[in-house]
PDB file of all heavy atoms in Angstrom:
ATOM      1  N   ASP A   1       0.844  -1.202   0.000  1.00 97.00           N
ATOM      2  CA  ASP A   1       0.009   0.005  -0.006  1.00 97.00           C
ATOM      3  C   ASP A   1       0.871   1.248   0.000  1.00 97.00           C
ATOM      4  O   ASP A   1       1.669   1.468   0.922  1.00 97.00           O
ATOM      5  CB  ASP A   1      -0.906  -0.011   1.230  1.00 97.00           C
ATOM      6  CG  ASP A   1      -1.978   1.090   1.154  1.00 97.00           C
ATOM      7  OD1 ASP A   1      -1.599   2.279   1.185  1.00 97.00           O
ATOM      8  OD2 ASP A   1      -3.165   0.746   1.083  1.00 97.00           O
ATOM      9  N   PHE A   2       0.763   2.061  -1.045  1.00 97.00           N
ATOM     10  CA  PHE A   2       1.607   3.251  -1.161  1.00 97.00           C
ATOM     11  C   PHE A   2       1.404   4.219   0.002  1.00 97.00           C
ATOM     12  O   PHE A   2       2.359   4.839   0.495  1.00 97.00           O
ATOM     13  CB  PHE A   2       1.312   3.987  -2.483  1.00 97.00           C
ATOM     14  CG  PHE A   2       1.741   3.241  -3.707  1.00 97.00           C
ATOM     15  CD1 PHE A   2       0.799   2.852  -4.661  1.00 97.00           C
ATOM     16  CD2 PHE A   2       3.074   2.940  -3.945  1.00 97.00           C
ATOM     17  CE1 PHE A   2       1.189   2.195  -5.808  1.00 97.00           C
ATOM     18  CE2 PHE A   2       3.468   2.269  -5.086  1.00 97.00           C
ATOM     19  CZ  PHE A   2       2.514   1.893  -6.014  1.00 97.00           C
ATOM     20  N   LYS A   3       0.162   4.390   0.435  1.00 96.00           N
ATOM     21  CA  LYS A   3      -0.131   5.398   1.458  1.00 96.00           C
ATOM     22  C   LYS A   3       0.301   4.949   2.857  1.00 96.00           C
ATOM     23  O   LYS A   3       0.923   5.703   3.606  1.00 96.00           O
ATOM     24  CB  LYS A   3      -1.641   5.718   1.457  1.00 96.00           C
ATOM     25  CG  LYS A   3      -2.131   6.358   0.147  1.00 96.00           C
ATOM     26  CD  LYS A   3      -1.411   7.657  -0.151  1.00 96.00           C
ATOM     27  CE  LYS A   3      -1.953   8.311  -1.440  1.00 96.00           C
ATOM     28  NZ  LYS A   3      -1.198   9.534  -1.816  1.00 96.00           N
ATOM     29  N   THR A   4      -0.034   3.730   3.230  1.00 97.00           N
ATOM     30  CA  THR A   4       0.290   3.247   4.580  1.00 97.00           C
ATOM     31  C   THR A   4       1.683   2.661   4.671  1.00 97.00           C
ATOM     32  O   THR A   4       2.210   2.456   5.751  1.00 97.00           O
ATOM     33  CB  THR A   4      -0.724   2.181   5.031  1.00 97.00           C
ATOM     34  OG1 THR A   4      -0.588   1.024   4.173  1.00 97.00           O
ATOM     35  CG2 THR A   4      -2.155   2.712   4.935  1.00 97.00           C
ATOM     36  N   ARG A   5       2.269   2.356   3.494  1.00 96.00           N
ATOM     37  CA  ARG A   5       3.582   1.698   3.396  1.00 96.00           C
ATOM     38  C   ARG A   5       3.582   0.341   4.087  1.00 96.00           C
ATOM     39  O   ARG A   5       4.600  -0.119   4.624  1.00 96.00           O
ATOM     40  CB  ARG A   5       4.691   2.591   3.946  1.00 96.00           C
ATOM     41  CG  ARG A   5       4.879   3.885   3.195  1.00 96.00           C
ATOM     42  CD  ARG A   5       6.231   4.515   3.514  1.00 96.00           C
ATOM     43  NE  ARG A   5       6.397   5.790   2.810  1.00 96.00           N
ATOM     44  CZ  ARG A   5       7.519   6.488   2.793  1.00 96.00           C
ATOM     45  NH1 ARG A   5       8.579   6.057   3.461  1.00 96.00           N
ATOM     46  NH2 ARG A   5       7.586   7.626   2.129  1.00 96.00           N
ATOM     47  N   LYS A   6       2.455  -0.324   4.084  1.00 96.00           N
ATOM     48  CA  LYS A   6       2.354  -1.652   4.661  1.00 96.00           C
ATOM     49  C   LYS A   6       2.171  -2.689   3.549  1.00 96.00           C
ATOM     50  O   LYS A   6       1.543  -2.431   2.537  1.00 96.00           O
ATOM     51  CB  LYS A   6       1.191  -1.721   5.653  1.00 96.00           C
ATOM     52  CG  LYS A   6       1.422  -0.876   6.898  1.00 96.00           C
ATOM     53  CD  LYS A   6       0.277  -1.045   7.884  1.00 96.00           C
ATOM     54  CE  LYS A   6       0.535  -0.232   9.161  1.00 96.00           C
ATOM     55  NZ  LYS A   6      -0.590  -0.373  10.145  1.00 96.00           N
ATOM     56  N   SER A   7       2.738  -3.867   3.809  1.00 95.00           N
ATOM     57  CA  SER A   7       2.656  -4.959   2.858  1.00 95.00           C
ATOM     58  C   SER A   7       1.731  -6.061   3.365  1.00 95.00           C
ATOM     59  O   SER A   7       1.703  -6.350   4.568  1.00 95.00           O
ATOM     60  CB  SER A   7       4.057  -5.562   2.611  1.00 95.00           C
ATOM     61  OG  SER A   7       4.896  -4.618   1.997  1.00 95.00           O
ATOM     62  N   VAL A   8       0.967  -6.628   2.444  1.00 96.00           N
ATOM     63  CA  VAL A   8       0.111  -7.747   2.781  1.00 96.00           C
ATOM     64  C   VAL A   8       0.468  -8.906   1.857  1.00 96.00           C
ATOM     65  O   VAL A   8       0.462  -8.768   0.640  1.00 96.00           O
ATOM     66  CB  VAL A   8      -1.387  -7.391   2.587  1.00 96.00           C
ATOM     67  CG1 VAL A   8      -2.245  -8.613   2.829  1.00 96.00           C
ATOM     68  CG2 VAL A   8      -1.792  -6.242   3.493  1.00 96.00           C
ATOM     69  N   VAL A   9       0.830 -10.030   2.451  1.00 96.00           N
ATOM     70  CA  VAL A   9       1.148 -11.221   1.675  1.00 96.00           C
ATOM     71  C   VAL A   9      -0.154 -11.854   1.217  1.00 96.00           C
ATOM     72  O   VAL A   9      -0.934 -12.363   2.028  1.00 96.00           O
ATOM     73  CB  VAL A   9       1.981 -12.230   2.485  1.00 96.00           C
ATOM     74  CG1 VAL A   9       2.224 -13.505   1.662  1.00 96.00           C
ATOM     75  CG2 VAL A   9       3.302 -11.623   2.925  1.00 96.00           C
ATOM     76  N   LYS A  10      -0.409 -11.784  -0.080  1.00 95.00           N
ATOM     77  CA  LYS A  10      -1.667 -12.320  -0.618  1.00 95.00           C
ATOM     78  C   LYS A  10      -1.581 -13.836  -0.794  1.00 95.00           C
ATOM     79  O   LYS A  10      -2.594 -14.524  -0.723  1.00 95.00           O
ATOM     80  CB  LYS A  10      -1.979 -11.667  -1.965  1.00 95.00           C
ATOM     81  CG  LYS A  10      -2.049 -10.161  -1.925  1.00 95.00           C
ATOM     82  CD  LYS A  10      -3.161  -9.658  -1.033  1.00 95.00           C
ATOM     83  CE  LYS A  10      -4.534  -9.916  -1.598  1.00 95.00           C
ATOM     84  NZ  LYS A  10      -5.612  -9.339  -0.768  1.00 95.00           N
ATOM     85  N   LYS A  11      -0.382 -14.304  -1.016  1.00 95.00           N
ATOM     86  CA  LYS A  11      -0.229 -15.744  -1.174  1.00 95.00           C
ATOM     87  C   LYS A  11       1.240 -16.106  -0.999  1.00 95.00           C
ATOM     88  O   LYS A  11       2.121 -15.398  -1.506  1.00 95.00           O
ATOM     89  CB  LYS A  11      -0.688 -16.201  -2.560  1.00 95.00           C
ATOM     90  CG  LYS A  11      -0.536 -17.707  -2.787  1.00 95.00           C
ATOM     91  CD  LYS A  11      -1.006 -18.114  -4.165  1.00 95.00           C
ATOM     92  CE  LYS A  11      -0.838 -19.624  -4.354  1.00 95.00           C
ATOM     93  NZ  LYS A  11      -1.299 -20.071  -5.673  1.00 95.00           N
ATOM     94  N   GLU A  12       1.494 -17.180  -0.278  1.00 94.00           N
ATOM     95  CA  GLU A  12       2.852 -17.727  -0.189  1.00 94.00           C
ATOM     96  C   GLU A  12       2.812 -19.150  -0.723  1.00 94.00           C
ATOM     97  O   GLU A  12       1.908 -19.928  -0.396  1.00 94.00           O
ATOM     98  CB  GLU A  12       3.374 -17.731   1.253  1.00 94.00           C
ATOM     99  CG  GLU A  12       4.792 -18.264   1.351  1.00 94.00           C
ATOM    100  CD  GLU A  12       5.392 -18.116   2.756  1.00 94.00           C
ATOM    101  OE1 GLU A  12       5.945 -17.050   3.045  1.00 94.00           O
ATOM    102  OE2 GLU A  12       5.284 -19.070   3.531  1.00 94.00           O
ATOM    103  N   GLN A  13       3.763 -19.458  -1.578  1.00 94.00           N
ATOM    104  CA  GLN A  13       3.846 -20.799  -2.160  1.00 94.00           C
ATOM    105  C   GLN A  13       3.863 -21.851  -1.049  1.00 94.00           C
ATOM    106  O   GLN A  13       4.683 -21.785  -0.145  1.00 94.00           O
ATOM    107  CB  GLN A  13       5.114 -20.909  -3.010  1.00 94.00           C
ATOM    108  CG  GLN A  13       5.387 -22.287  -3.565  1.00 94.00           C
ATOM    109  CD  GLN A  13       6.743 -22.359  -4.254  1.00 94.00           C
ATOM    110  OE1 GLN A  13       7.436 -21.366  -4.398  1.00 94.00           O
ATOM    111  NE2 GLN A  13       7.131 -23.557  -4.664  1.00 94.00           N
ATOM    112  N   GLU A  14       2.953 -22.798  -1.140  1.00 93.00           N
ATOM    113  CA  GLU A  14       2.909 -23.889  -0.172  1.00 93.00           C
ATOM    114  C   GLU A  14       3.813 -25.022  -0.627  1.00 93.00           C
ATOM    115  O   GLU A  14       3.731 -25.439  -1.775  1.00 93.00           O
ATOM    116  CB  GLU A  14       1.480 -24.405   0.009  1.00 93.00           C
ATOM    117  CG  GLU A  14       0.554 -23.447   0.704  1.00 93.00           C
ATOM    118  CD  GLU A  14      -0.810 -24.068   0.954  1.00 93.00           C
ATOM    119  OE1 GLU A  14      -0.844 -25.141   1.612  1.00 93.00           O
ATOM    120  OE2 GLU A  14      -1.828 -23.528   0.493  1.00 93.00           O
ATOM    121  N   VAL A  15       4.649 -25.483   0.281  1.00 95.00           N
ATOM    122  CA  VAL A  15       5.480 -26.654  -0.016  1.00 95.00           C
ATOM    123  C   VAL A  15       4.927 -27.801   0.829  1.00 95.00           C
ATOM    124  O   VAL A  15       5.079 -27.819   2.051  1.00 95.00           O
ATOM    125  CB  VAL A  15       6.956 -26.394   0.329  1.00 95.00           C
ATOM    126  CG1 VAL A  15       7.797 -27.626  -0.002  1.00 95.00           C
ATOM    127  CG2 VAL A  15       7.467 -25.182  -0.429  1.00 95.00           C
ATOM    128  N   LEU A  16       4.266 -28.734   0.140  1.00 93.00           N
ATOM    129  CA  LEU A  16       3.590 -29.814   0.853  1.00 93.00           C
ATOM    130  C   LEU A  16       4.564 -30.937   1.186  1.00 93.00           C
ATOM    131  O   LEU A  16       5.729 -30.890   0.841  1.00 93.00           O
ATOM    132  CB  LEU A  16       2.434 -30.335   0.005  1.00 93.00           C
ATOM    133  CG  LEU A  16       1.383 -29.276  -0.431  1.00 93.00           C
ATOM    134  CD1 LEU A  16       0.282 -29.941  -1.243  1.00 93.00           C
ATOM    135  CD2 LEU A  16       0.817 -28.553   0.760  1.00 93.00           C
ATOM    136  N   GLY A  17       4.057 -31.926   1.835  1.00 84.00           N
ATOM    137  CA  GLY A  17       4.886 -33.090   2.176  1.00 84.00           C
ATOM    138  C   GLY A  17       5.254 -33.131   3.643  1.00 84.00           C
ATOM    139  O   GLY A  17       5.717 -34.153   4.142  1.00 84.00           O
ATOM    140  N   GLY A  18       5.077 -32.021   4.339  1.00 78.00           N
ATOM    141  CA  GLY A  18       5.280 -32.014   5.789  1.00 78.00           C
ATOM    142  C   GLY A  18       6.702 -31.930   6.263  1.00 78.00           C
ATOM    143  O   GLY A  18       6.967 -31.852   7.451  1.00 78.00           O
ATOM    144  N   LYS A  19       7.690 -31.943   5.354  1.00 83.00           N
ATOM    145  CA  LYS A  19       9.081 -31.976   5.772  1.00 83.00           C
ATOM    146  C   LYS A  19       9.797 -30.644   5.593  1.00 83.00           C
ATOM    147  O   LYS A  19      10.878 -30.458   6.131  1.00 83.00           O
ATOM    148  CB  LYS A  19       9.836 -33.053   4.984  1.00 83.00           C
ATOM    149  CG  LYS A  19       9.342 -34.479   5.264  1.00 83.00           C
ATOM    150  CD  LYS A  19      10.163 -35.492   4.477  1.00 83.00           C
ATOM    151  CE  LYS A  19       9.688 -36.901   4.731  1.00 83.00           C
ATOM    152  NZ  LYS A  19      10.475 -37.915   3.958  1.00 83.00           N
ATOM    153  N   PHE A  20       9.198 -29.727   4.843  1.00 92.00           N
ATOM    154  CA  PHE A  20       9.923 -28.498   4.530  1.00 92.00           C
ATOM    155  C   PHE A  20       9.857 -27.485   5.672  1.00 92.00           C
ATOM    156  O   PHE A  20       8.780 -27.170   6.189  1.00 92.00           O
ATOM    157  CB  PHE A  20       9.375 -27.845   3.255  1.00 92.00           C
ATOM    158  CG  PHE A  20      10.028 -26.516   2.974  1.00 92.00           C
ATOM    159  CD1 PHE A  20      11.340 -26.452   2.511  1.00 92.00           C
ATOM    160  CD2 PHE A  20       9.361 -25.338   3.203  1.00 92.00           C
ATOM    161  CE1 PHE A  20      11.947 -25.230   2.262  1.00 92.00           C
ATOM    162  CE2 PHE A  20       9.943 -24.107   2.938  1.00 92.00           C
ATOM    163  CZ  PHE A  20      11.253 -24.061   2.477  1.00 92.00           C
ATOM    164  N   ASN A  21      11.025 -26.983   6.041  1.00 94.00           N
ATOM    165  CA  ASN A  21      11.149 -25.876   6.982  1.00 94.00           C
ATOM    166  C   ASN A  21      12.307 -25.029   6.481  1.00 94.00           C
ATOM    167  O   ASN A  21      13.449 -25.496   6.411  1.00 94.00           O
ATOM    168  CB  ASN A  21      11.424 -26.389   8.399  1.00 94.00           C
ATOM    169  CG  ASN A  21      11.530 -25.263   9.413  1.00 94.00           C
ATOM    170  OD1 ASN A  21      11.703 -24.104   9.062  1.00 94.00           O
ATOM    171  ND2 ASN A  21      11.443 -25.614  10.697  1.00 94.00           N
ATOM    172  N   LYS A  22      12.030 -23.794   6.119  1.00 94.00           N
ATOM    173  CA  LYS A  22      13.084 -22.970   5.509  1.00 94.00           C
ATOM    174  C   LYS A  22      14.247 -22.744   6.457  1.00 94.00           C
ATOM    175  O   LYS A  22      15.355 -22.420   6.013  1.00 94.00           O
ATOM    176  CB  LYS A  22      12.512 -21.624   5.031  1.00 94.00           C
ATOM    177  CG  LYS A  22      11.954 -20.716   6.114  1.00 94.00           C
ATOM    178  CD  LYS A  22      11.350 -19.469   5.476  1.00 94.00           C
ATOM    179  CE  LYS A  22      10.738 -18.556   6.512  1.00 94.00           C
ATOM    180  NZ  LYS A  22      10.141 -17.344   5.878  1.00 94.00           N
ATOM    181  N   GLU A  23      14.030 -22.935   7.757  1.00 95.00           N
ATOM    182  CA  GLU A  23      15.119 -22.761   8.723  1.00 95.00           C
ATOM    183  C   GLU A  23      16.135 -23.892   8.629  1.00 95.00           C
ATOM    184  O   GLU A  23      17.227 -23.796   9.206  1.00 95.00           O
ATOM    185  CB  GLU A  23      14.550 -22.699  10.141  1.00 95.00           C
ATOM    186  CG  GLU A  23      13.579 -21.540  10.383  1.00 95.00           C
ATOM    187  CD  GLU A  23      14.225 -20.199  10.087  1.00 95.00           C
ATOM    188  OE1 GLU A  23      15.429 -20.025  10.381  1.00 95.00           O
ATOM    189  OE2 GLU A  23      13.514 -19.322   9.529  1.00 95.00           O
ATOM    190  N   ASN A  24      15.796 -24.944   7.878  1.00 96.00           N
ATOM    191  CA  ASN A  24      16.730 -26.066   7.728  1.00 96.00           C
ATOM    192  C   ASN A  24      17.771 -25.827   6.627  1.00 96.00           C
ATOM    193  O   ASN A  24      18.650 -26.650   6.418  1.00 96.00           O
ATOM    194  CB  ASN A  24      15.973 -27.357   7.407  1.00 96.00           C
ATOM    195  CG  ASN A  24      15.138 -27.836   8.582  1.00 96.00           C
ATOM    196  OD1 ASN A  24      15.440 -27.534   9.737  1.00 96.00           O
ATOM    197  ND2 ASN A  24      14.090 -28.584   8.290  1.00 96.00           N
ATOM    198  N   TYR A  25      17.647 -24.696   5.940  1.00 97.00           N
ATOM    199  CA  TYR A  25      18.517 -24.432   4.800  1.00 97.00           C
ATOM    200  C   TYR A  25      19.278 -23.117   4.986  1.00 97.00           C
ATOM    201  O   TYR A  25      18.799 -22.206   5.649  1.00 97.00           O
ATOM    202  CB  TYR A  25      17.715 -24.415   3.499  1.00 97.00           C
ATOM    203  CG  TYR A  25      16.933 -25.681   3.297  1.00 97.00           C
ATOM    204  CD1 TYR A  25      15.637 -25.812   3.792  1.00 97.00           C
ATOM    205  CD2 TYR A  25      17.504 -26.772   2.644  1.00 97.00           C
ATOM    206  CE1 TYR A  25      14.918 -26.987   3.643  1.00 97.00           C
ATOM    207  CE2 TYR A  25      16.791 -27.958   2.470  1.00 97.00           C
ATOM    208  CZ  TYR A  25      15.502 -28.051   2.981  1.00 97.00           C
ATOM    209  OH  TYR A  25      14.796 -29.232   2.832  1.00 97.00           O
TER     210      TYR A  25
END
């Protein structure tokens, strides 16, 4: 949003399978 300078994540890619954690990389 240009006026408020706030961001809204409309969608984040889902990585299925139950094993993914970005903190592991």
